[in-house]
Amino acid sequence: MLRFCALAAVLLAATPALARDLVVEAGPNAQERLQSALLDARPGDTVRIGAGRFELTDGLSLDVNGVTVRGAGAERTVLSFKGQLGAGEGLLVTSDDVVLRDFAVEDSKGDGIKSKGADRIVYKNVRVEWTGGPKATNGAYGVYPVESEDVLIDGVTVKGASDAGIYVGQSNRIVVRNSTAMYNVAGIEIENSGYAEVTNNLATHNTGGILVFDLPALPRRGAGYVLVRGNRVVDNDTPNFAPPGNTVATVPTGTGVLVMAENDVGVTGNELSGNGTANIMVVAYRQPFEDKGYDPYPRNIRLAGNKHGRAGFAPAMPGGKELAAALGGTLPPVFWDGTGGDKVRLVGDDGPVLALGLALGAGIETAKPQMIKLDNAAPPPWRTFKLPAAMEVAAK
C-alpha cells in the first residue's frame, strides 16, 4: 500500500495538470514582474507575456528546466532593451528543455537571446532586431545557442547583429529552418558544431548569407555533417560593419555561402543570386594558429543542384577586382581558394569552379587561377540525426 501511494504521488507530481501559467502583462514595473516570473517558474510552467511593449532596463535570465516562455506574437509582444543599463544580453537561458516562442527582443546592448549549455532548446517565431539598422555598436548575436545538444530554430527573424544574426556554436544536432536573417554581418552561422540542417531559410542583405566555420583554440571542435539545403541566399550586399578583430570582420561583402575549414558539408538545392563576391566560397582558415589538433582545410564538400543567378560582379575580397578584371570583369559564382589539394575533395554538379591555387599564408598575388569541374563521384556516407519528438511538438 505504501509503495502504491508513493508511486501515485510521483505520477501526480508529473501530470501536466499541475503546470501553471504565470501571466505578465505590459505596464509599470515590467522589469521586476517579468524577472520574478522567470525566477518563480517551476518545470512544466509557462511564463505568458502579454501583448504590448515592455520597456526593460536590465537583462533577463532563466535557469529552470522545462519552462516555456510565450508571448502573443513576434510583432505584438516586444521586449525593448533600448534603456538597458548593462552591456549583457537581453535574455540568457542556462537550463534544459526550454521553449522560447512568439515574442520579440529589440535593441539589447549585448546579444539578443543567448542560451548556454541549454539542451533540447526550441526557438519558435521569435524576432530579434536592432531597430537603428546595421551598426558596429549593435549586439554581436541575435539568437545565440552555444555548447548545447539538440537545438531547434524555427520561424525566427533577426536583423542588425554586428556578428551573426542566427548563430549556433560548439553544439550538436541542430535544425535551423523557415527563418529570415537580414542586415547582419553574417546571416546564419554554424560554428564548431556538428550534425546540422540549415533548410528553407532566407538570408538577404547581410554581408555574408550563410557561414559554416570550424575555428581553432575553442573548447569544442566541429564534428561536421552540416547540410545547407533549399535556402534563398540572395542580394547579400551590406558593407561589413563588424568591430575590428572579429572573425567575421574578414567576410567580404557580397558573400552567399562560405564554408571554411569544416568537414562533410553539403550545399545543395539552394537559390543563390545577387551576391557580388561569390554565391559559394570554399576556403581554408588562413590565420596563424597554435592548436595542434586543428585542421585548417575544408574536407569532403558537396555542391550540387544549386540554382545560380548573377554573382561575382563586385568582389570585395583582397585582390578580387584585379582577379575579376583578368577573367573578363566578373568572378564565377563558385570558387575555392585552392588550398589543400586532393585532401579537400569537392564533389557535385555545380561548376565549373574557379580554383585559385593558393597555399596557406599566401596572398592573392600568388594565385594561379584555373577553372575546374567538380568530381561527380559519390560523396562519403552522410550521418543523419533526429531531434527528440517533444521538440517538434513544442514547435507546432
Side-chain angles (χ1 to χ4, degrees), residues 173-197:
R173 297 184 301 278
I174 302 149
V175 173
V176 180
R177 67 190 184 204
N178 308 322
S179 295
T180 298
M182 304 174 67
Y183 302 106
N184 310 285
V185 175
I188 300 170
E189 183 173 349
I190 308 297
E191 183 179 286
N192 286 60
S193 294
Y195 315 108
E197 294 180 0

Side-chain angles (χ1 to χ4, degrees), residues 148-306:
S148 299
E149 305 294 318
D150 300 309
V151 174
L152 175 56
I153 298 172
D154 188 359
V156 166
T157 298
V158 182
K159 299 179 182 179
S162 65
D163 195 305
I166 298 171
Y167 171 100
V168 186
Q170 301 177 63
S171 299
N172 287 311
R173 297 184 301 278
I174 302 149
V175 173
V176 180
R177 67 190 184 204
N178 308 322
S179 295
T180 298
M182 304 174 67
Y183 302 106
N184 310 285
V185 175
I188 300 170
E189 183 173 349
I190 308 297
E191 183 179 286
N192 286 60
S193 294
Y195 315 108
E197 294 180 0
V198 180
T199 60
N200 197 37
N201 302 288
L202 171 63
T204 186
H205 299 305
N206 307 284
T207 301
I210 300 177
L211 279 52
V212 181
F213 282 2
D214 194 43
L215 302 179
L218 290 177
R220 295 176 66 170
R221 183 83 68 244
Y225 299 96
V226 178
L227 180 62
V228 178
R229 180 181 63 196
N231 303 283
R232 292 188 66 228
V233 187
V234 298
D235 301 328
N236 287 286
D237 52 12
T238 295
N240 196 314
F241 60 98
N246 287 19
T247 299
V248 296
T250 62
V251 175
T253 302
T255 299
V257 176
L258 175 58
V259 178
M260 183 174 71
E262 188 56 277
N263 64 278
D264 297 282
V265 178
V267 183
T268 64
N270 301 283
E271 178 187 341
L272 305 128
S273 68
N275 303 302
T277 294
N279 282 341
I280 301 175
M281 300 171 62
V282 180
V283 301
Y285 181 78
R286 306 183 62 78
Q287 301 301 315
F289 61 90
E290 298 180 358
D291 184 345
K292 294 183 180 180
Y294 178 67
D295 190 334
Y297 298 109
R299 289 93 65 203
N300 297 328
I301 311 300
R302 179 171 177 78
L303 313 175
N306 297 294

Side-chain angles (χ1 to χ4, degrees), residues 53 74-75 78-82 84 104-109 127-131:
R53 190 171 188 86
E75 300 301 327
V78 178
L79 308 184
S80 173
F81 292 88
K82 187 165 287 188
Q84 186 175 2
V105 167
E106 292 184 352
D107 299 316
S108 58
K109 292 296 190 291
R127 176 173 62 87
V128 177
E129 183 172 355
W130 285 268
T131 59

Side-chain angles (χ1 to χ4, degrees), residues 36-114:
S36 292
L38 295 171
L39 290 170
D40 292 343
R42 300 194 296 253
D45 287 352
T46 297
V47 176
R48 293 192 178 273
I49 312 174
R53 190 171 188 86
F54 293 72
E55 301 290 349
L56 305 173
T57 57
D58 200 0
L60 302 167
S61 62
L62 173 65
D63 190 27
V64 181
N65 292 340
V67 171
T68 295
V69 180
R70 185 166 193 160
E75 300 301 327
R76 299 184 63 208
T77 298
V78 178
L79 308 184
S80 173
F81 292 88
K82 187 165 287 188
Q84 186 175 2
L85 300 176
E89 49 277 313
L91 172 61
L92 173 64
V93 177
T94 52
S95 46
D96 299 335
D97 301 295
V98 167
V99 179
L100 308 172
R101 61 177 302 158
D102 304 316
F103 63 90
V105 167
E106 292 184 352
D107 299 316
S108 58
K109 292 296 190 291
D111 307 320
I113 306 173
K114 179 178 180 179

Side-chain angles (χ1 to χ4, degrees), residues 1-12:
M1 183 64 177
L2 288 175
R3 291 179 61 189
F4 174 79
C5 291
L7 178 60
V10 170
L11 292 175
L12 183 61

